[in-house]
Amino acid sequence: MRHIIDLCDLTEKEFSDLYKLVSNIIDRPEGYVDACRGKVLGSLFYEPSTRTNLSFSTAMMRLGGSVVGFSDPNATSASKGETLKDTINMVSSYADMIVMRNPREGAAKVASMYSSVPVINAGDGGHLHPTQTLADMITILRMRGSADDMKIGLCGDLKYGRTVHSLLHFLQRYHNVQFYLIAPDALKLPDYMVKFLKDNNMPFCEVDSIDEVLPELDVLYMTRIQRERFVTAEEYTNLEGNYQLTAEKMKRAKKDMLVLHPLPRVDEIAQDVDDDPRAVYFRQARFGMFGRMALLLTLSKLPFERAGHHEIGADPGIRCSNHKCITRSELYVPLHGKVGDRCPYCDAALEMQL
Amino acid sequence: MRHIIDLCDLTEKEFSDLYKLVSNIIDRPEGYVDACRGKVLGSLFYEPSTRTNLSFSTAMMRLGGSVVGFSDPNATSASKGETLKDTINMVSSYADMIVMRNPREGAAKVASMYSSVPVINAGDGGHLHPTQTLADMITILRMRGSADDMKIGLCGDLKYGRTVHSLLHFLQRYHNVQFYLIAPDALKLPDYMVKFLKDNNMPFCEVDSIDEVLPELDVLYMTRIQRERFVTAEEYTNLEGNYQLTAEKMKRAKKDMLVLHPLPRVDEIAQDVDDDPRAVYFRQARFGMFGRMALLLTLSKLPFERAGHHEIGADPGIRCSNHKCITRSELYVPLHGKVGDRCPYCDAALEMQL
Amino acid sequence: MRHIIDLCDLTEKEFSDLYKLVSNIIDRPEGYVDACRGKVLGSLFYEPSTRTNLSFSTAMMRLGGSVVGFSDPNATSASKGETLKDTINMVSSYADMIVMRNPREGAAKVASMYSSVPVINAGDGGHLHPTQTLADMITILRMRGSADDMKIGLCGDLKYGRTVHSLLHFLQRYHNVQFYLIAPDALKLPDYMVKFLKDNNMPFCEVDSIDEVLPELDVLYMTRIQRERFVTAEEYTNLEGNYQLTAEKMKRAKKDMLVLHPLPRVDEIAQDVDDDPRAVYFRQARFGMFGRMALLLTLSKLPFERAGHHEIGADPGIRCSNHKCITRSELYVPLHGKVGDRCPYCDAALEMQL
């Protein structure tokens, strides 16, 4: 592994080595105070994300390394019309590793093509966010010992919830996992994800309130429902209760059930749940930081390799159908294939160039 | 001491130990280059404050530690509707200490309730700013040897001047200090502060120009008068001269008088005063940095302690009368008592919840 | 050398020592990991400049030092009406060195007058940008072995291009250098620079397209042409081709010609040139970082010296004719001379104060 675009890029071996390292760091953090001494992380946040940004920066600093970069899109040369290619070329000539958050889908893949140093995807639009999935997995493995043989409920916005899709993709690796998809009709898991579950024989059922399944669950993965997703305020208010966790409801859950949440939460988890030992979402954030330490440490050992040659531009007549795709704004990015093929950057379908 | 919300929270013993440490750092800074190696400070500035922000960051770095955080309210998860409780929970799961500046009064106290690591108040609205008072005290103690037996003039905006109120509170600990309150009627010391001076037998007199008392003073503490405070521009222009310090006026002052100012200054101290050896306001800023080093070093030795349980919400019928109070925006914060009691967060009176 | 306002301030000896140090750092970076341990750089960017900002920060961190400061003008105390003098006074009481980018011409010189620590000019408006010239020179010296005996083409906006003017000033030190000035009439080298070339017997000829001279060149220094500089869009489109470099054109250039560019580039250099080994503009950025490491390391050894006294204000009847000059906004800055004299800060002519 050289770049981390999607957590599923890691082989089972690579992931288990990574998890071993994470465990070591959690158990003996003092042993890593100088592990990245003299190394510099380039942190490029094209959209604000305090949480992810702080987590990566702290991780690098706890390894004795330093961080440079920006957290504000307006402060970037991009605003001077610079291409992503040039920015990455510049930063990878300064820094030893790059972490990038970018609103355009597929941006991380493109950055990795032009970087002389390892690139970590800290979120490319609604596409992928591998280190969130890493935080989720570490929490489950660390608190349960294993991700096999469990009943996991995924609650909230399953339609747009990027973290839920990534987690489902990764859990495909584990055995005897049953999925409870808890969402209102308007926010049900999209067809292509349902197809993914079926194709991989991952047993699931769809329900429309937490209460129905709460007593069954070993893990409850909560996500935020954004009011904007609903047609009317009433519609929201009517449904809200079904997807909200409270201390009262927790009484019916297993004694050792885990409640996870990618954070930030708004009111889908009531304040009175926080003091429940089963509520591990804040520890999950801390595990995420340790996971990022392990990633940074692993990648920091890779050599500087001047990025190779890439031919330029798209095949005539072809473009990605996703208007948020990086190939729509960075026109030099090579794009090959025929209508209906998947975009190699954002996974949407290719279409006819008008 | 675990959190620093108000400098008066320190016992005389704690403060004298702190001052000893400050003196040591000033005299042998090289001895502290690695004192906080491997430690991370979370720096949360919900409103910009270059001066305080740079001072804390430099202090941490001079101890060999690192700093993460934000200096721009818009870059915060708070803008996604996250509670202060959750932000603090997150940051205290990453960092070893937290410094927070927040426009809402009482915010520091609330942050300390939900933090697993020490919290330092870098200013909570117009309420408290303990490390400014620390800078003031170090300057007086370092340059005069003692804060006893002195005549101190406090000049400018004594009504809204938070730093003046904090300094008066702290000077109550010293002996034979006489106070000259130099302010226009519109900006006189508020009644509750006058009461504080009387209750503690702190001798004072109120005058309305520097010139009247300048020759008497051992210390002159200048503050900025904001034009906006005045009804009319004329009113301002007429009074301005009385509260402005110039090289000409300095001729009538004692040879060893000290001129302090919390900075930034605008024109209440003329440029031509800067080269006068008695003008110590820039050294005061440097002393402030050393004071912050001592605080950070002391707190960095405290262990991580997961924040305890706090019941939720206010007593029925009660709220804080200060609309800038943190309890007005963070509704889960526990608030008990009856009408007229002091708010435990911002010290304003509790009132009937309408 | 104590402050770096203009690269030409360095004597030949100082520059060659600096270049020796740069070479050493490039060849053995690991030897400098602790060279600035415990030192703090104050980084004051009054206008955003990702590139320069990242380069200086990375340079300081690679030396084991730390960086504090701001990259956003709005986050500064200046917005509270603080003078540059006071800000510099404050920062130099915290940091060991200061790097400043400021839109006002002459600001760096003024900062150096009031700083107790070394100041490096990271660009003062359209005036000077010494570390860019340093990056250019290191690239030429490192890739060619010498800056003597070469034919250098300077292409693009030679009228407003600050980097071109600085480079010409510095190249005056070298022997047998021939200059080809490649620009449209609207953007030709200004008269005072042409005069400079003539006064110093620096042979040059002016041409209006790359193609005419490309085969002759040992070095081609490209710069951006800003559309706004042209009266009409057509005018721009007509001329664009003459000042644009493509892989096709590169076929006619010498096998060992170097292509430099201060970056960011827009479309004056086509993407298909990037993979050409003669295109060294990204390595130039990396050389710039190493140059900044050498500068910071050299200056970090200078002692803290409290800034001396400066009398205040301008001679009656006199002011600088450049409305972007720092003396126009910072009125306390001493300014002496008579009409027609050069401004000691921005080099424009002094005029009658109206």
Side-chain angles (χ1 to χ4, degrees), chain C residues 74-329:
Chain C
N74 308 324
T76 68
S77 307
S79 58
K80 288 188 196 167
E82 184 176 65
T83 61
L84 179 59
K85 177 187 177 185
D86 282 10
T87 301
I88 291 299
N89 235 317
M90 163 189 71
V91 177
S92 66
S93 70
Y94 295 156
D96 301 295
M97 290 177 282
I98 292 175
V99 165
M100 181 177 78
R101 172 92 156 211
N102 193 303
R104 294 172 298 176
E105 305 186 358
K109 174 80 176 291
V110 168
S112 69
M113 289 162 52
Y114 301 108
S115 176
S116 309
V117 300
V119 171
I120 301 175
N121 182 8
D124 56 339
H127 185 223
L128 296 165
H129 190 3
T131 56
Q132 178 61 56
T133 308
L134 179 61
D136 303 340
M137 288 309 304
I138 295 170
T139 308
I140 294 172
L141 294 172
R142 186 89 183 169
M143 308 292 288
R144 287 192 78 248
S146 151
D148 297 322
D149 312 305
M150 66 177 180
K151 293 179 177 174
I152 179 169
L154 300 131
C155 177
D157 181 349
L158 307 188
K159 184 174 181 184
Y160 304 97
R162 171 178 61 183
T163 58
V164 168
H165 303 173
S166 302
L167 184 58
L168 286 172
H169 275 118
F170 202 81
L171 285 173
Q172 178 268 332
R173 299 181 176 197
Y174 295 87
H175 306 299
N176 185 30
V177 182
Q178 293 181 50
F179 300 89
Y180 296 81
L181 309 176
I182 311 163
D185 286 350
L187 299 175
K188 284 174 64 177
L189 199 67
D191 297 343
Y192 73 91
M193 283 304 303
V194 169
K195 182 173 183 310
F196 171 82
L197 295 177
K198 288 180 176 160
D199 294 351
N200 293 282
N201 308 310
M202 299 163 71
F204 68 93
C205 65
E206 300 184 286
V207 300
D208 57 18
S209 98
I210 291 180
D211 309 80
E212 291 175 54
V213 296
L214 192 56
E216 306 295 317
L217 303 176
D218 301 299
V219 175
L220 173 57
Y221 192 92
M222 297 291 296
T223 65
R224 187 159 43 123
I225 293 185
Q226 285 160 304
R227 276 181 174 65
E228 314 80 86
R229 304 291 191 200
F230 287 90
V231 188
T232 69
E234 295 92 322
E235 194 190 348
Y236 176 79
T237 324
N238 299 337
L239 291 170
E240 200 177 11
N242 300 346
Y243 309 100
Q244 207 166 32
L245 190 63
T246 62
E248 184 55 33
K249 290 183 186 175
M250 286 295 284
K251 292 178 184 164
R252 299 180 48 243
K254 287 185 182 174
K255 293 278 150 287
D256 61 356
M257 182 186 77
L258 301 177
V259 182
L260 279 70
H261 191 301
L263 303 179
R265 60 94 179 255
V266 183
D267 48 17
E268 61 278 5
I269 298 180
Q271 299 283 349
D272 62 14
V273 176
D274 295 0
D275 294 321
D276 189 313
R278 295 169 291 183
V280 295
Y281 31 86
F282 291 119
R283 300 178 66 178
Q284 182 182 1
R286 192 166 167 85
F287 286 134
M289 177 190 71
F290 288 119
R292 292 176 174 110
M293 286 175 74
L295 261 189
L296 291 168
L297 178 52
T298 307
L299 296 179
S300 70
K301 292 169 175 160
L302 300 175
F304 180 95
E305 282 175 13
R306 204 165 291 288
H309 164 80
H310 293 277
E311 77 285 23
I312 282 161
D315 284 351
I318 278 295
R319 73 170 185 185
C320 178
S321 59
N322 174 6
H323 70 282
K324 290 182 189 160
C325 177
I326 187 74
T327 59
R328 288 297 199 88
S329 48

Side-chain angles (χ1 to χ4, degrees), chain A residues 37-38 40 66-70 75-77 80-83 85-86 89-96 304 306 308-310 312 332, chain C residues 33-34 48-52 54-55 57-58 61-62 65 71-72 101 224 263-266 271-272 274-275 282-283 285-286 289 292:
Chain A
R37 181 144 152 283
V40 176
S66 305
V67 181
V68 294
F70 50 80
T76 69
S77 309
K80 289 187 195 167
E82 185 175 65
T83 61
K85 177 186 176 185
D86 282 12
N89 236 315
M90 164 189 72
V91 177
S92 66
S93 69
Y94 297 154
D96 301 297
F304 180 95
R306 205 164 290 288
H309 163 81
H310 293 277
I312 282 161
Y332 55 86
Chain C
V33 171
D34 277 336
S49 173
T50 327
R51 194 171 302 279
T52 308
L54 289 191
S55 184
S57 296
T58 313
M61 290 167 178
R62 289 199 176 286
S71 55
D72 171 10
R101 172 92 156 211
R224 187 159 43 123
L263 303 179
R265 60 94 179 255
V266 183
Q271 299 283 349
D272 62 14
D274 295 0
D275 294 321
F282 291 119
R283 300 178 66 178
R286 192 166 167 85
M289 177 190 71
R292 292 176 174 110

